[in-house]
Amino acid sequence: MAQTRTEDFRLADGRALRLTYAEPDRVTRGGLVVLHEARGITEAVLAMVAGLAAEGWLIVVPHLYEGGSAEVDHAEARDKVSELSGQSVLAATDIAFAWLAERKVNLDRIGVIGFELGGAVALVVAASRTIGAAVTVAGGGIIEPLAAGLPPLIEVAADLRVPWLGLYRIEGDDITEQQVEKLRDAASTAPVATDVVRFAFETGGFEAWQRALNWFDAHLR
């Protein structure tokens, strides 16, 4: 597993944020911002970080929660998510982009990917910032937002600025097929490449992982 480090990163203009990052063992192909789930930087998030770093990507995880995003329980996660806003998550990802820029990674070679809460944030970022590509995995808040300060995904999907891939489980989530289809329809009106794929949790995980890797391979050049 890739070695992760956590540091407080400060820009010259005074903006600061806690970041967790991992470097690939070989030549860096580009940079990926991994957006954590509601419970923070969990073992599942760290496994995603390790897997992506092993593929040659420089990985950075911005801590979306004030005071840091160490793993918390579900009850505390609900409180922390409720404090998020579109402005706060964009500010956090902007600092992650700046961290990658300091390491000579251009915007067209930067992607974002997230699971659950992070998946929703990835779409918000992709509709507001011009980078290389974005992937959402099981991102909720399609019709009703995950927090009062975040937009419903269906309202921003048509504004996507970068190629976006949505990966949604067929079963096991509270996200319905009808919600996913509405998101697909909204995203299809954006002026960039989009795709929405539903996969079986038990048998389709590897396929979903490969689709995410292929999406970044195709669009981060």
Side-chain angles (χ1 to χ4, degrees):
M1 182 176 289
Q3 185 71 33
T4 61
R5 296 177 176 85
T6 298
E7 64 178 27
D8 292 322
F9 176 66
R10 183 175 296 276
L11 297 173
D13 61 10
R15 289 179 295 163
L17 190 71
R18 183 161 295 174
L19 303 173
T20 294
Y21 64 93
E23 300 173 321
D25 293 331
R26 48 194 172 93
V27 175
T28 300
R29 304 170 60 187
L32 295 179
V33 177
V34 172
L35 298 165
H36 63 72
E37 60 181 290
R39 292 177 57 224
I41 301 177
T42 62
E43 289 300 318
V45 173
L46 293 175
M48 180 183 289
V49 167
L52 293 169
E55 294 290 333
W57 301 101
L58 176 60
I59 308 299
V60 59
V61 187
H63 291 227
L64 300 177
Y65 296 147
E66 185 175 354
S69 294
E71 184 174 351
V72 296
D73 61 25
H74 290 287
E76 188 173 354
R78 285 193 295 271
D79 292 338
K80 288 183 174 292
V81 170
S82 70
E83 297 172 356
L84 295 178
S85 67
Q87 182 178 1
S88 72
V89 298
L90 289 172
T93 51
D94 283 346
I95 293 174
F97 296 153
W99 185 90
L100 288 168
E102 283 197 0
R103 286 148 184 83
K104 312 302 182 186
V105 183
N106 298 329
L107 284 175
D108 60 357
R109 293 175 56 234
I110 293 176
V112 295
I113 182 172
F115 169 75
E116 192 227 25
L117 167 69
V121 173
L123 194 155
V124 173
V125 173
S128 304
R129 299 290 185 264
T130 303
I131 51 173
V135 175
T136 289
V137 184
I142 294 175
I143 308 299
E144 297 293 331
L146 294 177
L150 293 173
L153 300 188
I154 197 170
E155 290 187 3
V156 296
D159 299 325
L160 284 164
R161 299 183 182 185
V162 304
W164 172 78
L165 171 66
L167 298 169
Y168 283 88
R169 295 170 179 165
I170 294 173
E171 73 289 305
D173 290 321
D174 294 330
I175 303 167
T176 67
E177 179 180 358
Q178 291 74 20
Q179 290 174 343
V180 174
E181 290 307 312
K182 287 182 179 180
L183 181 61
R184 185 201 303 275
D185 290 343
S188 70
T189 66
V192 292
T194 65
D195 194 12
V196 175
V197 177
R198 303 186 73 223
F199 66 96
F201 178 70
E202 294 297 333
T203 59
F206 179 75
E207 177 190 353
W209 175 254
Q210 287 300 313
R211 283 182 180 273
L213 295 179
N214 292 343
W215 194 259
F216 288 132
D217 286 344
H219 297 288
L220 302 186
R221 298 179 179 274

